[in-house]
Amino acid sequence: MSATINSVTSKSLGTLSSFKKSTEGITGITSLGNFRVSLYSESIFRISISLEEHFESLSYSVVANPVEIASEIIDSDSTLQIKTSTTLLTISKNPVRFSFNTLDGKVINEDETFGTSWIGDQVTTYKKLQPDERFIGLGEKTGGLDRRGHAFQNWTTDAYGYGNGTDPLYCSTPFYIGIHNHLLYGIFFDNTHKTFFNFGASNNRFSSFSADAGEMNYYFINGNSVAEIIKQYTHLTGRMEMPPIWSIGYQQCRYSYYPDKEIYSLAKTFREKDIPADVIVLDIHYMDKYKIFTWDSKNFPDPKGLIQHLRDQGFHIVIMCDPGIKVEPGYETYDDGVKKDVFIKYPDGENYQGQVWPGWCHFPDFTNPETREWWATKFQDYVNLGVDGFWNDMNEIATWGHSLPENLEFNFEGNKATTRRGRNLFGFQMARSTYEGTKKLLKGKRPFNLTRSGFSGIQRYAAVWTGDNVSYDEHMLLGVRLVNSIGLTGIAFAGYDAGGFVGDANTKLFARWISIASLSPFFRAHTMINTRDSEPWSYGEEVESICRNYIKFRYQLMPYIYSLFYDASKTGMPVQRSLAINYTHDHRIYDGKYYNQYLFGPSILVAPVESNKELLKIFFPEGEWYDVYTGKVWQGNQETVVESPIHRLPVFIKAGSVLPMQPAAANTSIKQQELILHIYCGKDSSEFLLYMDDGETFDYQNGKSATRTIQMNGAQNKVIVSKSEGDFKSSYKKIKIILHGTNTDSVSVNGKNLEISYHLHSFFAPLEKYDPINEPDSMGEEKVRIATIDYTEANLEISW
Ligand code: GLC
C-alpha cells in the first residue's frame, strides 16, 4: 500500500509529522493536512480532518461539548493510540488512518486504504466493509431497513408524490449505525453540505461518506446496543422537550378547510360521532392569498371567535406557516422584512426571489440570528388569537422550478456561506425560530411545532412528517418504514399523512391507514386539494366504526404513549421502534417480509399490512405475544401466518408486560378518573416508567411531574408499582387492574385480597353491519379478571 495515495485525481491525508495532546484528545499534523480527535464521552470520538490549519467550530446540530476523559495515549513507532474505558482508537502513522477497536482488540470500524481523501473540494472517508456488515439509519430515506448495497444523498428536497425509491426527500440526517459480528457503532457526519453515503453500493470494498465541500467532521459512537447508540447520538444532537399532550391526540387536516363554517361543522361532527380528536389543522387557505401572518377576512371573518369556540369543544388549532414572503409593497411582513434586512441574498446584495404559493417571494435567512428573532416576534398575533400549533412547510426550500440557485448567500451566524452549505439547514433553522419564538410568546404553555424539512438535531424543535405521500398501499407501508428509520436518528415525534396526500384513498385503504397510524407517534389524516374527503366518516359506516375503534384505542393508550414521549425526551428512544433496536442481531427482521413491523413502545408489536390482504406472514420476536383482540398467545421466535381482515390490524402485546391505560375520551384535556393497568401474564419480566404531568406547561421542568416504575415479575406473578415521585398530583381516583392470560381466583394488593370479577373484554367495539337486522361483528373478546382499588400514590404490590 502506498503511504500517501496522492494520484492526479485523488489525494489523501498522508503521513503523520507530529501530534500534540490537548485536554480533550489530540491534534496531529500530516504531510497533507491536519486532524483532531476530541472526546465527548468514553465512547464518543469526534474526528476532524482538514486541509486547513483551523477546524470548524460552528455546528447547528451538536449541543454537547468535548469533555476531559480519563484516557491513555500510547505512542509507538507505527501507531498512536487513544484508549478510554470502552474504546481503543488506533491511528496508523504511515499513512494516517483510523481504526476503532474494542478493548480486547476486535475491529469495530476501520478506515479503508483510501482513508480520508479529497477529489477537488469533495471530501470522503472510506471505511472497510466488514464481513456481513449491515447499515441502518439515515432517517427519512426510502428503501429497506438494511441499507447495505445502496447509496444515498442528503440534500433537502421538496419531493412531491415521491416514489418507493426516491432519494433525497425532505430531511437530511447524516447519521447511521453499522452492525457486524455482534458489534455496533454509530457515525454522525456533521457537515451540512450535500453529503453522500455509500454502503457498499457498486463496490465490495468500502462504505463511505462524502461532502461536496467543507471538512471531514464525524463522530464515532461506540455502543453495545442500538438504544445506547441513539442515546449517545441524542446526547450530541439534543432531545425533544415534552410535547403538549393534545398534539399526540388525533389531528384532522386537509388542504384546506374553509370557510370557517366548515370547521365549526367538522368539530361538531367529531363530537357527535363520538370520535376522539384534539386538533383541526388550517392549511394555506386561512391566509389572505397565501400571505403568511394574514387571515382571509372573507372566509375567516372572526378567527378569535372560531378558535375560542374550538377550544370550548376541546380542539386546538394548528396553522400552516410557509417561509415564502410575498414581494408586495404594502404587505406589512414584506415591508418590515425588507426594512430589517432579513432575507436571503444574491452575492451582489439583492434579495433573492423565488416563486411559491403567493407568487414571487423573498425568504427569511434563518441562519441569521437577527432574522430568527424577527420571525419569532411575528407570531404574536397568532398567539393572541389562541393559536398554539404551528406547521413549518415548504422549507427545503421549495420553489417552483425546484432549482434553488447555489450562489445565494446565507448569513451563517455571521460567517457567510452559500446555498451549498445552507440549504440542508434552512428547514431546521426555520423550525428552531418558530419553536423558540412561539415558546416565548406562549408564556409557559408548550407550543406544538411540525416541520417537513430538517437536519440532525431537528428533534429539539419540531415533530417531522414525511411530506406529500400518495394514496396507495405501497406508500402506506413506505411511510411506516420512513418513521421507523427517522426514529433511529433521534427523531421520536414523526408521522405520515394517514390516508395519503396525493390522490384518493379507497374504503379499505383509508381504514387500514388510520388503524396503523393510530399506533404511530404523530397521528394526522391529511389530503390534497380536490381529492376525496378524508375524515373518519367519509368512507361509509364500516370504515367510520373501524376508525373510531382505533382512534379510541390510541386515546385509551394515552398514559402509555405519553410516557414514551417522556422516554424520548430523556434518552432519545423513539416511540415507534424499528425491530432493529431490540432484535438487532436477528437476521429475520431485515427480511423484506418483516421489515415494516415495529414495536410501538416496548410492549406493542404492530405488523402493518396492505389493505386488501386478509392473511399476513409475520415474524414474532422472542418471548410470547398476546393477540390484542382475542388474547390468543403466540410463541415468539417464529415466522407464521396471522389473519389480517380490514377491521383487525395485526397487533400483539408482549407477555410479561403492563400497559398503563385509561378510558377513551373525546380529547386529551379531559381529566381522567381511572388508571387501568392491563397486566399481560407470562414468564418474562419488564419495567416501564409511567410518566405524568399537566400535559401543557413547562412546570414539569421544575419538578411538577410524577413518575412511577411499573415492574412486572412474570415468573412470580407479581407487579410492583413504585410510589409516585415528584410534585404532580394526577386526577386519577381509581386503579383498575385487568389481568390477561391467567385463571387465578385471587388477586391481592399489598397483601390484601381483592374482590375480582370475570369479564369478556375487548378494547374495540363490535362493528355495526350495514344492514342493522344483522348482529354487529365482534372484534374478538378475551376472558379477563378485573379488580379495582382506590388510587394511591403509595407503593403497590399486586400479586395473583
Ligand atoms: C405542501 C405540503 C402539504 C400541504 C400543501 C399546501 O405540499 O406538503 O401538506 O397541504 O403544501 O399547503
Side-chain angles (χ1 to χ4, degrees):
M1 175 169 72
S2 105
T4 52
I5 304 182
N6 279 336
S7 74
V8 189
T9 51
S10 182
K11 48 188 184 209
S12 81
L13 205 47
T15 57
L16 185 68
S17 320
S18 65
F19 79 94
K20 255 201 330 242
K21 290 186 200 178
S22 67
T23 44
E24 301 132 12
I26 57 170
T27 52
I29 300 177
T30 76
S31 48
L32 193 79
N34 298 277
F35 70 85
R36 182 180 64 190
V37 179
S38 335
L39 298 177
Y40 281 64
S41 77
E42 288 78 13
S43 307
I44 306 180
F45 290 63
R46 176 183 180 184
I47 309 292
S48 313
I49 300 175
S50 175
L51 294 173
E52 315 285 327
E53 277 172 28
H54 300 289
F55 297 105
E56 183 54 57
S57 56
L58 175 67
S59 170
Y60 284 94
S61 296
V62 173
V63 291
N65 289 312
V67 280
E68 222 178 310
I69 295 279
S71 62
E72 210 182 317
I73 296 189
I74 310 153
D75 182 15
S76 68
D77 285 351
S78 58
T79 64
L80 184 61
Q81 293 182 303
I82 307 182
K83 190 173 174 184
T84 68
S85 61
T86 64
T87 313
L88 175 68
L89 166 62
T90 300
I91 306 169
S92 64
K93 292 186 174 175
N94 183 15
V96 172
R97 301 286 181 263
F98 297 79
S99 169
F100 296 92
N101 304 278
T102 60
L103 294 185
D104 59 1
K106 289 192 205 104
V107 174
I108 309 170
N109 171 271
E110 62 186 326
D111 279 3
E112 222 278 342
T113 315
F114 309 123
T116 293
S117 48
W118 289 263
I119 302 171
D121 280 345
Q122 190 185 65
V123 60
T124 303
T125 291
Y126 296 88
K127 299 287 185 183
K128 211 176 258 178
L129 273 178
Q130 302 296 330
D132 299 324
E133 190 166 19
R134 295 183 191 281
F135 302 91
I136 59 173
L138 279 197
E140 195 188 50
K141 293 290 174 203
T142 57
L145 172 57
D146 181 0
R147 307 208 174 277
R148 174 90 182 240
H150 297 274
F152 303 89
Q153 50 172 297
N154 288 309
W155 194 233
T156 55
T157 295
D158 173 13
Y160 172 83
Y162 53 98
N164 245 335
T166 306
D167 183 58
L169 301 183
Y170 308 89
C171 278
S172 300
T173 46
F175 169 67
Y176 71 90
I177 296 172
I179 304 159
H180 63 94
N181 297 312
H182 283 258
L183 296 169
L184 293 102
Y185 64 90
I187 285 189
F188 169 45
F189 183 20
D190 189 12
N191 182 320
T192 65
H193 289 87
K194 188 187 275 183
T195 53
F196 305 86
F197 286 74
N198 181 318
F199 299 115
S202 307
N203 89 85
N204 57 5
R205 279 178 70 164
F206 59 81
S207 61
S208 67
F209 39 98
S210 317
D212 257 1
E215 66 187 35
M216 181 44 63
N217 172 25
Y218 73 92
Y219 294 78
F220 168 84
I221 302 171
N222 183 10
N224 293 327
S225 65
V226 172
E228 176 58 27
I229 291 173
I230 295 173
K231 191 171 175 190
Q232 300 270 19
Y233 168 72
T234 52
H235 165 72
L236 287 175
T237 59
R239 301 184 181 121
M240 66 184 296
E241 297 191 295
M242 283 306 288
I245 193 164
W246 55 264
S247 67
I248 60 178
Y250 177 66
Q251 305 202 10
Q252 183 65 50
C253 188
R254 92 153 290 140
Y255 167 19
S256 306
Y257 289 120
Y258 67 88
D260 55 357
K261 279 192 216 63
E262 193 170 333
I263 294 153
Y264 285 110
S265 129
L266 192 64
K268 191 158 159 262
T269 312
F270 271 106
R271 298 304 178 234
E272 276 171 6
K273 288 187 172 288
D274 185 28
I275 298 176
D278 272 78
V279 174
I280 294 174
V281 185
L282 298 187
D283 203 328
I284 49 177
H285 287 95
Y286 79 86
M287 297 181 241
D288 173 26
K289 302 197 173 63
Y290 306 144
K291 284 182 285 184
I292 179 78
F293 306 121
T294 68
W295 287 83
D296 170 353
S297 57
K298 190 165 136 270
N299 285 323
F300 293 87
D302 177 19
K304 194 167 180 114
L306 169 69
I307 294 167
Q308 189 53 52
H309 175 85
L310 292 172
R311 277 297 177 91
D312 297 344
Q313 311 284 308
F315 284 97
H316 290 251
I317 282 283
V318 171
I319 49 151
M320 169 56 80
C321 310
D322 283 318
I325 301 209
K326 187 173 171 67
V327 174
E328 185 183 89
Y331 162 37
E332 203 273 332
T333 309
Y334 166 77
D335 289 340
D336 193 42
V338 171
K339 195 164 118 220
K340 306 258 169 59
D341 196 20
V342 298
F343 298 122
I344 293 172
K345 297 183 178 22
Y346 283 108
D348 62 3
E350 186 178 303
N351 287 332
Y352 163 65
Q353 290 194 31
Q355 255 182 323
V356 66
W357 305 119
W360 290 102
C361 289
H362 292 327
F363 297 84
D365 178 0
F366 293 106
T367 66
N368 181 346
E370 283 165 22
T371 303
R372 290 199 297 271
E373 280 289 307
W374 173 82
W375 178 258
T377 58
K378 293 283 163 209
F379 286 84
Q380 185 68 64
D381 288 350
Y382 286 150
V383 168
N384 290 348
L385 294 172
V387 179
D388 48 6
F390 308 90
W391 176 14
N392 301 228
D393 190 22
M394 308 296 278
N395 51 2
E396 292 72 30
I397 305 170
T399 50
W400 308 156
H402 303 282
S403 306
L404 194 67
E406 294 213 341
N407 66 345
L408 301 181
E409 202 170 84
F410 288 70
N411 175 280
F412 242 82
E413 315 300 303
N415 297 307
K416 297 268 190 286
T418 67
T419 305
R420 302 183 81 203
R421 191 171 176 205
R423 172 168 167 156
N424 273 327
L425 282 173
F426 185 85
F428 177 27
Q429 292 307 298
M430 176 189 178
R432 169 190 179 179
S433 184
T434 307
Y435 185 71
E436 289 179 344
T438 55
K439 182 177 169 182
K440 213 186 269 169
L441 294 170
L442 282 164
K443 299 206 168 62
K445 288 262 165 77
R446 303 175 206 167
F448 166 66
N449 203 28
L450 177 69
T451 186
R452 196 168 72 173
S453 184
F455 191 77
S456 292
I458 185 64
Q459 65 272 12
R460 308 199 296 268
Y461 308 117
V464 167
W465 104 105
T466 62
D468 299 340
N469 62 2
V470 190
S471 295
Y472 52 76
D473 277 282
E474 234 181 298
H475 231 288
M476 174 173 72
L477 300 180
L478 170 60
V480 168
R481 283 201 298 288
L482 288 174
V483 172
N484 286 348
S485 178
I486 289 170
L488 293 170
T489 46
I491 303 163
F493 202 1
Y496 36 77
D497 287 343
F501 180 70
V502 182
D504 293 337
N506 59 54
T507 310
K508 284 194 167 177
L509 181 60
F510 190 79
R512 186 71 101 203
W513 216 322
I514 290 286
S515 323
I516 302 173
S518 72
L519 299 170
S520 78
F522 168 65
F523 181 23
R524 184 183 80 167
H526 183 33
T527 187
M528 200 169 121
I529 194 165
N530 289 332
T531 57
R532 179 171 179 181
D533 283 351
S534 284
E535 293 79 38
W537 51 84
S538 310
Y539 289 83
E541 281 176 24
E542 189 186 6
V543 176
E544 182 181 320
S545 25
I546 295 174
C547 293
R548 182 183 297 103
N549 261 341
Y550 285 92
I551 297 175
K552 282 194 166 179
F553 184 49
R554 182 181 181 91
Y555 277 71
Q556 293 172 66
L557 279 167
M558 224 22 104
Y560 174 76
I561 301 176
Y562 195 56
S563 301
L564 298 178
F565 277 93
Y566 178 69
D567 192 6
S569 77
K570 288 290 169 197
T571 68
M573 189 67 162
V575 170
Q576 175 169 326
R577 303 176 182 174
S578 156
L579 294 189
I581 298 180
N582 286 44
Y583 311 102
T584 318
H585 305 293
D586 192 320
H587 66 95
R588 290 169 288 190
I589 63 151
Y590 300 97
D591 189 318
K593 289 200 289 292
Y594 310 125
Y595 62 19
N596 299 316
Q597 288 181 214
Y598 61 90
L599 283 174
F600 189 58
S603 317
I604 303 179
L605 177 69
V606 183
V609 47
E610 287 91 341
S611 55
N612 49 8
K613 268 200 190 160
E614 303 238 318
L615 290 172
L616 174 69
K617 184 149 188 211
I618 83 162
F619 168 61
F620 283 111
E622 67 208 13
E624 288 174 327
W625 300 90
Y626 281 83
D627 179 304
V628 76
Y629 309 98
T630 61
K632 172 180 169 158
V633 177
W634 294 86
Q635 286 310 308
N637 209 10
Q638 65 155 330
E639 297 158 77
T640 187
V641 174
V642 299
E643 287 182 4
S644 55
I646 193 60
H647 57 290
R648 290 206 328 210
L649 176 71
V651 174
F652 306 89
I653 315 296
K654 193 161 200 298
S657 59
V658 181
L659 294 181
M661 298 178 70
Q662 63 192 21
N667 63 72
T668 56
S669 58
I670 291 168
K671 295 270 169 281
Q672 293 277 347
Q673 306 282 307
E674 190 175 71
L675 175 67
I676 306 175
L677 297 178
H678 283 274
I679 300 176
Y680 284 88
C681 299
K683 52 188 181 315
D684 287 338
S685 294
S686 65
E687 199 174 287
F688 186 83
L689 191 70
L690 174 64
Y691 174 83
M692 294 168 277
D693 65 19
D694 65 23
E696 56 171 358
T697 74
F698 286 95
D699 291 351
Y700 73 95
Q701 293 177 344
N702 305 313
K704 273 232 148 146
S705 64
T707 51
R708 309 190 70 165
T709 309
I710 305 177
Q711 246 178 319
M712 165 101 180
N713 187 325
Q716 286 179 24
N717 294 340
K718 195 192 286 175
V719 167
I720 296 172
V721 184
S722 70
K723 77 174 183 4
S724 184
E725 302 280 351
D727 293 343
F728 177 74
K729 302 266 167 265
S730 85
S731 56
Y732 295 128
K733 301 276 180 292
K734 298 273 177 204
I735 300 181
K736 191 188 259 184
I737 298 161
I738 303 190
L739 286 160
H740 299 250
T742 170
N743 289 324
T744 187
D745 286 327
S746 99
V747 180
S748 70
V749 169
N750 296 344
K752 239 175 79 190
N753 274 338
L754 303 181
E755 202 174 303
I756 48 178
S757 52
Y758 304 84
H759 287 260
L760 278 179
H761 162 83
S762 177
F763 292 110
F764 307 91
L767 296 183
E768 294 291 336
K769 297 300 266 189
Y770 34 88
D771 183 342
I773 67 154
N774 297 314
E775 281 296 297
D777 262 349
S778 163
M779 288 284 289
E781 284 169 338
E782 183 190 356
K783 279 190 199 142
V784 295
R785 272 120 174 87
I786 300 184
T788 304
I789 57 169
D790 288 340
Y791 187 80
T792 160
E793 296 195 332
N795 194 76
L796 291 173
E797 189 172 318
I798 307 167
S799 309
W800 59 94

